[in-house]
């Protein structure tokens, strides 16, 4: 897509322009990268109060049928069968080699499973579901719904003014909820490391809800720029950058996302695409590269694609996300290194414009995650 005319627009496109957003192409959509407040201030506002994000470019899918959970389990190394009604879980689509096709969120809404998939992957994800799910599982792609994220320490106070029952939700709870006459699917989750909510809303009522939320004094509109720096500080992966088909969940430091029941010795061990590779890596602990946090020792940020080397100048890895962390107060990054260099505080070097800049392997998240667990 080379022209703005070829790009899709979310239901909030006109509101973004009204608010003075700078629009950029992203995953086939025209999306706001920042507003007049600026990326740094939008980031800090979300950490301090509440930010409203338009994430309507994400894919939303419903799965219906008595065997939906069992069928979906064959595509993800995650416990879906025992996912309680009203709960959400992080999941991964894997391929035959154990590589990650996409990461997604799965909610058990009682009558159906509700999936939220990444914007850049949604067409292939839907095709993947259609190819592998049996005929008695109905797939409904929700093209008539948008998605908002309200994030920050004041998010619950703000949303409770419109829907008091959200105060009863904790991290990773999901429910259908009516907000001022608008039928929504809500989860207490997000992509910033802060408390907050993701709200699926009918497309034709999205602007109404967005304006209601923006009218609250704690809320500012936040763009993609701050969304990226917030998730990086929180140690959260971006598909296509930190995760892709060449990396398994183990190499991606996502073993926590593989449910214990699906691991070797688990009650439903394996049974998903790519199980041989993934279970072998768990058993043998034999993966060669690992995703790690990276702390540049100077003031210069290191960006995606930067080559990482050891003290002898040998290439040992690459940066997959990097930039400045406004809340952290300095440059931060993540990337993949050979496992021999993945121990915390190991000193390696980033090659930046012909110079070797010292970097230390660091623990993520870089700032404390503040999800509300009750």
């Amino acid at each position: 897509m080379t022209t703005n005319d070829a790009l899709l627009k979310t239901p909030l496109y006109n509101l973004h322009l009204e608010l003075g957003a700078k629009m950029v192409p992203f995953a086939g959509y025209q999306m706001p990268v920042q507003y007049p407040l600026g990326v740094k201030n939008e980031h800090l506002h979300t950490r301090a109060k509440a930010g409203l994000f338009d994430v309507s470019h994400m894919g939303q899918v419903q799965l219906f049928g008595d065997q939906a959970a069992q069928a979906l389990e064959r595509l993800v190394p995650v416990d879906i069968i025992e996912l309680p009604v009203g709960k959400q879980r992080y999941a991964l689509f894997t391929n035959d080699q154990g590589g990650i096709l996409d990461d997604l969120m799965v909610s058990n809404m009682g009558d159906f499973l509700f999936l939220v998939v990444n914007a850049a992957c949604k067409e292939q994800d839907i095709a993947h579901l259609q190819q592998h799910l049996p005929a008695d599982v109905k797939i409904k792609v929700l093209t008539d719904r948008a998605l908002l994220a309200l994030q920050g320490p004041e998010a619950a106070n703000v949303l409770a003014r419109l829907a008091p029952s959200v105060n009863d939700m904790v991290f990773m709870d999901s429910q259908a909820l009516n907000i001022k006459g608008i039928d929504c699917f809500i989860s207490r989750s997000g992509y910033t490391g802060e408390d907050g909510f993701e709200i699926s809303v009918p497309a034709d009522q999205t602007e109404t809800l967005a304006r209601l939320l923006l009218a609250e004094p704690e809320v500012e509109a936040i763009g993609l720029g701050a969304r990226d720096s917030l998730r990086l500080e929180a140690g959260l992966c971006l598909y296509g950058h930190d995760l892709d088909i060449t990396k398994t969940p183990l190499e991606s430091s996502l073993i926590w996302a593989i449910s214990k029941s699906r691991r070797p010795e688990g009650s439903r061990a394996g049974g998903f695409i790519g199980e041989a590779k993934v279970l072998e890596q768990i058993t043998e602990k034999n993966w060669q590269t690992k995703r790690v946090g990276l702390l540049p020792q100077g003031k210069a940020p290191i960006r995606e694609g930067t080559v990482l080397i050891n003290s002898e100048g040998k290439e040992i890895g690459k940066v997959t996300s990097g930039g400045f962390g406004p809340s952290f107060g300095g440059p931060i990054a993540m990337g993949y290194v050979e496992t021999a260099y993945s121990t915390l505080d190991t000193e390696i070097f980033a090659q930046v414009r012909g110079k070797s800049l010292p970097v230390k392997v660091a623990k993520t998240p870089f700032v404390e995650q503040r999800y509300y667990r009750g």
Side-chain angles (χ1 to χ4, degrees), residues 63 65-84 89-95 104 106 108 113 115 128-129 132-134 137 257-263 266-275 279:
L63 301 182
D66 294 340
Q67 300 301 308
Q70 289 89 335
L72 185 58
E73 272 209 2
R74 292 194 281 273
L75 305 185
V76 297
V78 176
D79 180 356
I80 304 297
I81 290 173
E82 296 180 7
L83 178 62
R89 189 160 283 160
Y90 177 76
L92 304 163
F93 285 136
T94 45
N95 66 12
L104 64 151
V106 182
N108 183 353
L113 296 177
L115 280 55
H128 187 65
L129 291 167
H132 292 285
L133 295 184
V137 176
I258 302 175
S259 298
K260 290 183 179 178
S261 62
R262 312 299 303 282
R263 300 182 195 181
S267 59
R268 296 192 306 285
F272 55 90
I273 296 173
E275 65 171 301
L279 297 189

Side-chain angles (χ1 to χ4, degrees), residues 187-308:
S187 66
R188 194 159 190 169
S189 63
Y191 194 48
T192 61
E194 298 293 332
D195 183 25
F197 302 86
E198 293 197 341
I199 309 167
S200 171
V201 55
D204 60 358
Q205 295 176 289
T206 310
E207 185 173 331
T208 299
L209 181 56
R211 288 185 184 277
L212 282 172
L213 293 168
L214 288 168
E216 298 299 323
E218 300 92 341
V219 182
E220 291 281 354
I222 311 295
L224 291 176
R227 186 169 185 254
D228 193 54
S229 57
L230 288 159
R231 69 92 191 167
L232 179 56
E233 283 188 341
L236 302 174
C237 295
L238 176 61
Y239 190 83
H241 300 259
D242 312 299
L243 306 176
D244 61 42
I245 59 171
T246 70
K247 299 294 190 295
T248 68
L250 286 302
E251 293 159 351
S252 305
S253 296
L254 294 176
I255 190 170
W256 58 266
I258 302 175
S259 298
K260 290 183 179 178
S261 62
R262 312 299 303 282
R263 300 182 195 181
E265 315 304 327
S267 59
R268 296 192 306 285
F272 55 90
I273 296 173
E275 65 171 301
K277 180 72 169 181
V278 173
L279 297 189
E280 177 197 351
Q281 287 189 334
I282 293 175
T283 302
E284 303 294 335
K285 299 180 172 58
N286 64 345
W287 56 96
Q288 303 303 308
T289 63
K290 185 179 180 182
R291 180 178 62 88
V292 295
L294 300 166
L295 274 184
Q297 296 302 287
K299 294 183 179 179
I302 56 175
R303 305 292 183 183
E304 178 182 355
T306 300
V307 170
L308 300 169

Side-chain angles (χ1 to χ4, degrees), residues 58-64 68 72 80 83 87-91 104-117 129 140-147 173-176 184-187 189 198-201:
M58 306 285 278
Q60 301 181 59
V61 180
Q62 290 173 305
L63 301 182
F64 296 90
L72 185 58
I80 304 297
L83 178 62
K87 288 290 184 180
Q88 177 177 253
R89 189 160 283 160
Y90 177 76
L104 64 151
M105 304 302 293
V106 182
S107 295
N108 183 353
M109 304 298 287
D111 295 333
F112 58 89
L113 296 177
F114 177 55
L115 280 55
V116 177
V117 301
L129 291 167
K140 183 178 181 182
V141 181
L142 300 178
T143 57
D144 58 348
R145 295 186 78 86
L147 195 66
D173 276 359
S174 293
Q175 64 174 287
C184 301
F185 307 142
I186 297 183
S187 66
S189 63
E198 293 197 341
I199 309 167
S200 171
V201 55

Side-chain angles (χ1 to χ4, degrees), residues 317-337:
K318 194 165 285 187
V319 175
T320 53
S321 288
F324 184 81
S327 303
F328 180 77
I332 53 175
M334 66 172 75
Y336 286 82
V337 297

